[in-house]
Amino acid sequence: MSLFTLGIARGLLGQVLGMVIGMLLTCAVRILLGWEAWAAEPAWTVGAVCSIIGFLLGVGSLDDWLKWTKGIPTPLHHGPPVDKPAWTRYFSVDYNHKVIGVQYTVWGILLLMVGGTVAMIFRTELARSGLQFLGLDLYNSFIGMHGMIMIFAILLGVGGMANYLVPLMIGAEDMAFPRLNALGFWFNVPGSVLLLLSLFVGGWDAGWTAYPPLSARGPIGYQLFFLGVFAIGLSSIVGSLNLLVTLLRMRPEGMSLFRMPIFCWAVFATSLIQLTATQLIGTSFLMVSVQRALGMGFFDPRGILGEVSPMVGGGDPVLFQHLFWFYSHPAVYIFVLPGLGIVSELLPVFSRKPLFGYKWIALSSMAIAIVGFLVWGHHMFVSGYNDILRIPFMYATLLVAIPTGVKFFSWLGTIWGGKVHFDTPMLFVLGAISVFLIGGLTGPILATVPTDFPLHDSYFVVGHFHATMFGGFVFPFFAALYYWFPKVTGRMYNETLGKIHFFIMTPAFWVQTLGQMGVGVMGMRRRIADYDPTLGAGQIESWQLAVTIAGFAIAFGVMLMLWNFFQNAEVGAAAGDNPWRSRSPEWQIPSPVPEHSFPAPLHVVGEPYDYGLADAGYVTTASTGDD
Amino acid sequence: MAKNRRHFGIVTVLIVICTFVVYWVLDSVLLKPAAAVLEAGPIDYLFDLHIWLIAFLFALVAVFMCYALIVFRARGDEGDGEHIHGNGTLEIIWTVVPCFVVIYFAWISTTMLIDLSRPNPDEYVVNAEGRQWSWLFTYPESGAVTPDLVLPVDTPIRMDLTSDDVLHNFWVPEFRVKQDTVPGMVTHVRFTPTIIGDYVLRCAELCGTNHSGMLATVRVVSAEDFQLWQSEQLAQVQE
C-alpha cells in the first residue's frame, strides 16, 4: 500500500504543489508587467491561497461536486473503503459523521499539544526575569502562535464533539450535508499547516489579535497566518450551517426543541454565532492582508506605514478592532457554550437526578449568544474610541453575568438531592464548574471601566481568560473525552489514571490562573518577554516560578490522559453499551456505534432527564408497526 | 423539607464564614502597586467592592457545591436521586436579583467614570508621543522636549497622547489609569499625582520587538522643583 492511498498525504502534496503553482503564477504576472520576477510577500500570499485549494483537490474533498458538474452521479458510500484497510478512512475523506467527529477531535488534540508545547517554552522563559534563551522577536511570535493554535484546537474540539454527538443525540442517520461536513473538516488541515509554516517565514509578532498598524508592517508570516485563519473560518461557517440544519430538520418524531438533549441547545447557540460572526474576523484579517499586499490603506491613518507598497493613508487602526472583536468576543462563547453544554449534559447522569431548570439552561445559552454580540467594545475601553461608548458596553457586558449565573445555580440545583457518583468524567465536570467559576467571577471587575483601567492588558486578563477557556472548554472537553471514550472505542479507560490526571491538573490549574491574576494586579503587563523583578515588592519571581511549575503539571496530566486513551483504545476492558446508565439515545445503541447508528427510526416518548422516575422512557427504536 | 431547612441553615453559616475568609485571603495576597494619584482612591474603592462580591459569590457556589457533593454522594447504592425538574420561583429569583446587583455596579461605575474623565479648567497639559520603543514628551507651556516625564505634584494633569508608528499604551501602574496611543489621532488621559517620587511608565499595548523594554521614568516633583526644572528647560530651548 503506497502512502498516497491516504487522502491526507495526497492533500499535503497538493498543498505543496498549489503553493509552487501560486508562486510561479505571481512571478509570471510580475514578468508580464515588466517588474522584477520575485517578490517574497506577493508570491507567498498567492501561493498560500492556491495551497488551500491544492490541498482540498488533493485530499479529494471536492471530488463529488466536480463530478456533479460533469453530470456523473456519486452515491454516498457507506462503510470503510473497499480495497483498503479500514483504519485508512480516518486519514482520508469520509462522509460518516462519526469518522469526521473523530478526525476533528484527534486533529484538535494534536494542535492542543503543539500549542501547549509552545506555551511550555515561553513559560520556562518566564520562570525567571531577564531573557534566558528566547529572543524578543521569537517570544513575541510564540505568544501569538500559542493563542491562535489553541483557538484552532478549541474550534476543532468543539467541531469534534458536535459532529460526533449531535446526530447520535437526535437519532439522525448522519448530518444533513455529509459532503459539506467533510469539507468543513478538511479546511482545517491546510489552515493549520499555513499557521505553523508562518513561523518559518518570519513569524508574526502582534499576538493572535494582530492589531494593525503593527500587523501591517511585520514579516511575511502575517500573510500565512491571515490565510490560515481564513481557512479555519470557512470551516466554522460550513460546519455551523450543517449543524443548524441538522438540528432543525432531522430530529425524530416527538423530539420537540425542549426535548433535545441539552448539549444540542448549546451546539445550536454556538452554531448561530459561528454562522453569523465568523465573517467579521475573516474580513478584518483579509483587509490587513490586502493592505499589505496591494497598498489599500484601510487601517493606515497617515500613509507612512507601508514597507511593501506605498500607501495613501486615510484609514483608521481603531476600525480594525471593531471588526475583529465583533467576531472575537462572540468567539469566546463559541468556545465555552458547548463545554457548558457538556457540564449540563453530564451532571444529571452522575447525580442521578433530572437537569434542574432545563428550559432556563437552554434559553440561557441563547441569551448568552445574543448578548454576546453586544459586548465587543469592552475589549476597547482604552482604545481611544468615543468615550461615551464605554458606558453601554459596560452595561451589556455585565448583563452576561445573569444567564451565566442561571447556569451555575441550575447546576447546583441538579446536584442538590441527587446521588452523586465521582467517576472521572464527573470529576472533570466539577473541575470545570470550579474553574469556570473563577473565570466568571473575575469578569465583572474587568467589565466596570474604572477597575478595568489598572487591569486592562495586564496579566490579570491572561489569568481571567485562561480560567474561562479551561473552565468552559478544556475541563468539559476532557470530561467528554473520558465520558464518550467507551462509546467511541467500546473499551474502558483506566479509572485510576483518570483520577490521578484530575487530581494533578485541577489544583495545578488553580495555582496557574490565580498566579497569573496575582502578577497582573502587581502591575505586570501581558505579552512581555521580560518583566520587572521588583514588582509586587519583589515577590513576582516566586509567583512566576509557581505558575511555570503548575503549567508543567498540567502538561503532565494531559500526557497521562493521552497515554490512558492510547493504551486502552484496543485492549481496555470491554465497556458495555451503557456504562454510565445514561438515558441519552447514543447510549441505547451498541459500543462502538455501528456504521448505521440506529437500526430503526427513533421515537421520543418522554423527557430526556427523567432520572428518579421509574419506567419513564425517553426514546424507543421499537417500530410502530405499519412503517 | 425540614431536612432541607437544616441543610440550608448549615450552608448559610458556612457561606458567611467562607466569604470573610476568601476576602481576607484575596486582600492579603493581592499586592496592588502603591497609589500615587487622586484617581486611585475611587478606583481602589471599586476594586475592593468587587473583591467582596467575588468573595461572596465564590463562597455561595463553592460552599453549596462542596456541601451537596458530601451530603448527596452515592453511598454505594445504585438508586436515583429525587425526581425534581426545577423550580420556577427559584429561577426567577436568581435571574432578577443578579440583575439589580449588576445594574448597581454599572451605575456606580458610570458615575465614577464620568468623574474620572471630567475636564478640569486648571489642568496642566503635556503631550506624549509613543514610538518604537521609547517615549517623547513635549510641554506646550515651555516648548521643552524630553524622553522622561516630569510632573508637578498635586496638579491635575492631562496627557495628550499620540503615536508615531504603531499602537502603544500609556500606563504607570501607580497611577492606575491607562490609555492607548493611536497614530493619526490624539487620545487623553487625566490624573492628579499626589506623591512625590519616581515611577516607571510602561507601554501596555504590544508594539513589536522591544515592547517589554518600552519604559520611561516619571518623576513627580514639588511645585517649586517643577518651576525650577521648567525654567532650566526653557533656558535650554532658548539657547
Side-chain angles (χ1 to χ4, degrees):
Chain A
M1 193 191 78
S2 115
L3 182 65
F4 289 101
T5 52
L6 297 182
I8 191 166
R10 289 197 308 275
L12 291 172
L13 181 68
Q15 181 157 22
V16 173
L17 289 177
M19 181 71 87
V20 173
I21 290 169
M23 286 178 165
L24 290 175
L25 204 65
T26 318
C27 294
V29 171
R30 290 181 66 91
I31 290 168
L32 283 177
L33 291 171
W35 298 346
E36 198 185 333
W38 175 256
E41 177 142 352
W44 278 99
T45 310
V46 179
V49 175
C50 296
S51 81
I52 297 172
I53 301 167
F55 182 93
L56 293 176
L57 286 171
V59 77
S61 186
L62 305 175
D63 281 3
D64 280 7
W65 291 314
L66 291 176
K67 283 178 187 160
W68 294 0
T69 63
K70 290 188 274 183
I72 306 168
T74 60
L76 211 55
H77 170 75
H78 294 286
V82 189
D83 44 5
K84 296 178 205 170
W87 58 268
T88 57
R89 69 190 303 197
Y90 289 95
F91 295 87
S92 304
V93 173
D94 194 285
Y95 296 141
N96 189 310
H97 76 97
K98 295 184 285 287
V99 174
I100 294 174
V102 172
Q103 287 173 332
Y104 264 107
T105 307
V106 170
W107 196 255
I109 291 173
L110 282 175
L111 287 182
L112 212 59
M113 289 167 73
V114 177
T117 308
V118 173
M120 286 303 98
I121 294 171
F122 64 73
R123 226 21 273 182
T124 310
E125 170 65 53
L126 287 171
R128 270 201 296 157
S129 71
L131 284 178
Q132 271 70 243
F133 58 93
L134 280 183
L136 290 170
D137 280 322
L138 195 58
Y139 181 92
N140 290 350
S141 283
F142 271 5
I143 51 158
M145 193 59 94
H146 166 69
M148 201 40 104
I149 292 175
M150 284 312 196
I151 288 169
F152 281 23
I154 294 174
L155 287 171
L156 280 152
V158 167
M161 293 190 289
N163 276 293
Y164 192 90
L165 295 174
V166 164
L168 291 182
M169 283 183 166
I170 64 172
E173 167 71 357
D174 205 309
M175 296 283 282
F177 309 114
R179 293 177 182 82
L180 199 64
N181 201 18
L183 178 71
F185 167 71
W186 289 107
F187 268 129
N188 290 291
V189 180
S192 325
V193 169
L194 286 182
L195 183 71
L196 295 175
L197 195 62
S198 70
L199 203 55
F200 299 95
V201 286
W204 34 281
D205 55 357
W208 76 276
T209 53
Y211 282 1
L214 186 59
S215 61
R217 40 165 50 201
I220 300 170
Y222 276 105
Q223 291 286 12
L224 302 193
F225 158 66
F226 290 144
L227 290 163
V229 173
F230 206 82
I232 305 283
L234 285 169
S235 161
S236 277
I237 293 170
V238 298
S240 57
L241 179 78
N242 208 348
L243 284 163
L244 284 176
V245 177
T246 307
L247 282 166
L248 287 174
R249 300 288 301 157
M250 299 181 67
R251 279 172 290 124
E253 194 186 314
M255 189 184 278
S256 63
L257 286 175
F258 285 115
R259 276 185 169 183
M260 293 193 295
I262 195 78
F263 178 70
C264 295
W265 269 100
V267 171
F268 188 80
T270 295
S271 300
L272 272 183
I273 308 174
Q274 280 189 297
L275 183 65
T276 49
T278 310
Q279 293 81 350
L280 271 289
I281 191 175
T283 308
S284 60
F285 280 1
L286 198 62
M287 285 167 86
V288 184
S289 174
V290 170
Q291 170 168 336
R292 294 173 61 105
L294 303 176
M296 296 185 182
F298 298 119
F299 307 122
D300 173 16
R302 289 188 303 199
I304 54 162
L305 304 174
E307 288 173 357
V308 179
S309 320
M311 306 241 181
V312 292
D316 178 6
V318 179
L319 171 64
F320 173 88
Q321 299 175 31
H322 283 291
L323 295 173
F324 177 81
W325 287 114
F326 191 82
Y327 165 77
S328 299
H329 188 79
V332 174
Y333 303 122
I334 296 175
F335 307 154
V336 305
L337 284 177
L340 303 184
I342 294 286
V343 172
S344 305
E345 185 68 45
L346 266 54
L347 271 182
V349 179
F350 290 98
S351 304
R352 310 309 302 164
K353 196 166 157 285
L355 182 62
F356 194 91
Y358 174 101
K359 284 188 183 174
W360 290 81
I361 290 187
L363 294 177
S364 72
S365 292
M366 296 301 286
I368 291 175
I370 291 162
V371 180
F373 273 106
L374 306 174
V375 304
W376 79 90
H378 69 226
H379 295 270
M380 301 167 63
F381 280 154
V382 301
S383 69
Y385 70 177
N386 192 345
D387 277 357
I388 203 77
L389 286 175
R390 293 161 165 176
I391 293 165
F393 279 124
M394 172 164 69
Y395 274 86
T397 303
L398 285 165
L399 280 184
V400 178
I402 293 158
T404 315
V406 167
K407 284 192 194 287
F408 274 107
F409 296 133
S410 302
W411 291 336
L412 294 179
T414 307
I415 302 173
W416 194 267
K419 286 194 193 289
V420 185
H421 295 257
F422 297 96
D423 300 285
T424 305
M426 180 61 165
L427 289 179
F428 274 92
V429 164
L430 298 173
I433 297 176
S434 77
V435 168
F436 196 67
L437 182 66
I438 297 173
L441 292 182
T442 47
I445 200 167
L446 292 166
T448 55
V449 183
T451 43
D452 179 64
F453 285 147
L455 299 175
H456 199 100
D457 273 324
S458 79
Y459 237 78
F460 187 88
V461 177
V462 176
H464 162 71
F465 72 69
H466 277 87
T468 51
M469 290 296 102
F470 267 72
F473 174 78
V474 176
F475 275 86
F477 180 56
F478 288 178
L481 290 178
Y482 281 110
Y483 181 75
W484 279 286
F485 180 82
K487 183 48 63 182
V488 177
T489 62
R491 307 277 169 181
M492 205 43 146
Y493 59 85
N494 182 315
E495 184 68 33
T496 314
L497 275 184
K499 289 201 164 112
I500 294 174
H501 170 202
F502 173 80
F503 285 108
I504 290 175
M505 183 168 145
T506 311
F509 184 77
W510 292 336
V511 170
Q512 180 191 300
T513 192
L514 297 174
Q516 286 171 332
M517 291 179 200
V519 300
V521 172
M522 291 174 193
M524 179 175 163
R525 301 158 287 158
R526 64 187 289 202
R527 295 171 160 171
I528 52 173
D530 186 20
Y531 52 90
D532 182 352
T534 63
L535 289 176
Q539 283 193 26
I540 188 168
E541 270 192 300
S542 40
W543 284 62
Q544 291 284 7
L545 185 63
V547 172
T548 300
I549 293 170
F552 275 99
I554 295 168
F556 176 74
V558 175
M559 303 295 275
L560 215 55
M561 174 184 77
L562 296 177
W563 164 250
N564 194 353
F565 290 159
F566 186 73
Q567 208 199 11
N568 289 304
E570 294 275 324
V571 298
D577 292 347
N578 192 359
W580 313 120
R581 298 184 294 136
S582 164
R583 294 168 52 86
S584 195
E586 80 273 19
W587 293 103
Q588 315 311 320
I589 51 179
S591 307
V593 184
E595 182 70 26
H596 295 279
S597 316
F598 296 93
L602 279 192
H603 294 276
V604 174
V605 294
E607 299 294 327
Y609 299 106
D610 264 339
Y611 296 98
L613 189 65
D615 303 326
Y618 174 35
V619 291
T620 160
T621 51
S623 172
T624 47
D626 52 5
D627 52 15
Chain B
M1 207 60 219
K3 207 171 156 197
N4 253 346
R5 198 165 296 152
R6 208 194 65 208
H7 285 318
F8 288 140
I10 299 170
V11 166
T12 310
V13 174
L14 288 175
I15 287 173
V16 173
I17 296 169
C18 185
T19 303
F20 283 96
V21 171
V22 173
Y23 176 82
W24 177 77
V25 169
L26 290 178
D27 193 50
S28 41
V29 162
L30 293 177
L31 303 161
K32 271 182 292 191
V37 291
L38 215 54
E39 288 69 18
I43 290 176
D44 288 357
Y45 163 77
L46 185 61
F47 190 95
D48 194 54
L49 214 57
H50 270 292
I51 299 295
W52 274 113
L53 183 73
I54 289 171
F56 168 68
L57 289 174
F58 182 83
L60 181 69
V61 176
V63 167
F64 252 107
M65 185 165 107
C66 294
Y67 188 86
L69 292 179
I70 294 166
V71 172
F72 300 108
R73 69 187 185 279
R75 295 177 175 84
D77 66 299
E78 295 293 296
D80 285 347
E82 299 168 53
H83 183 256
I84 302 168
H85 270 286
N87 183 323
T89 322
L90 269 181
E91 298 277 1
I92 289 169
I93 290 172
W94 62 49
T95 307
V96 173
V97 173
C99 262
F100 286 109
V101 176
V102 301
I103 289 172
Y104 172 71
F105 268 83
W107 179 72
I108 55 172
S109 306
T110 305
T111 52
M112 191 180 290
L113 181 63
I114 289 169
D115 280 346
L116 289 175
S117 44
R118 181 172 293 132
N120 186 321
D122 302 327
E123 61 199 10
Y124 184 83
V125 180
V126 183
N127 298 334
E129 187 179 69
R131 47 182 57 203
Q132 288 176 324
W133 293 277
S134 62
W135 294 91
L136 208 60
F137 303 98
T138 315
Y139 295 76
E141 219 165 88
S142 61
V145 180
T146 62
D148 289 320
L149 183 59
V150 181
L151 296 171
V153 77
D154 293 327
T155 310
I157 307 288
R158 188 183 88 210
M159 302 291 304
D160 285 357
L161 307 166
T162 190
S163 165
D164 185 45
D165 37 47
V166 301
L167 302 176
H168 302 283
N169 184 301
F170 180 97
W171 186 37
V172 180
E174 289 83 356
F175 293 1
R176 301 293 186 266
V177 286
K178 188 182 274 146
Q179 177 62 51
D180 277 1
T181 76
V182 185
M185 66 190 267
V186 177
T187 53
H188 310 284
V189 62
R190 292 185 168 85
F191 52 86
T192 308
T194 51
I195 298 174
I196 292 173
D198 283 5
Y199 307 96
V200 183
L201 165 61
R202 304 165 194 272
C203 172
E205 183 66 61
L206 181 53
C207 59
T209 308
N210 200 21
H211 166 57
S212 57
M214 186 170 161
L215 313 170
T217 306
V218 180
R219 282 200 295 134
V220 175
V221 298
S222 67
E224 301 80 52
D225 286 350
F226 186 73
Q227 284 304 330
L228 205 64
W229 177 83
Q230 207 170 15
S231 42
E232 275 171 25
Q233 295 295 320
L234 213 56
Q236 273 183 14
V237 170
Q238 279 160 354
E239 267 167 26

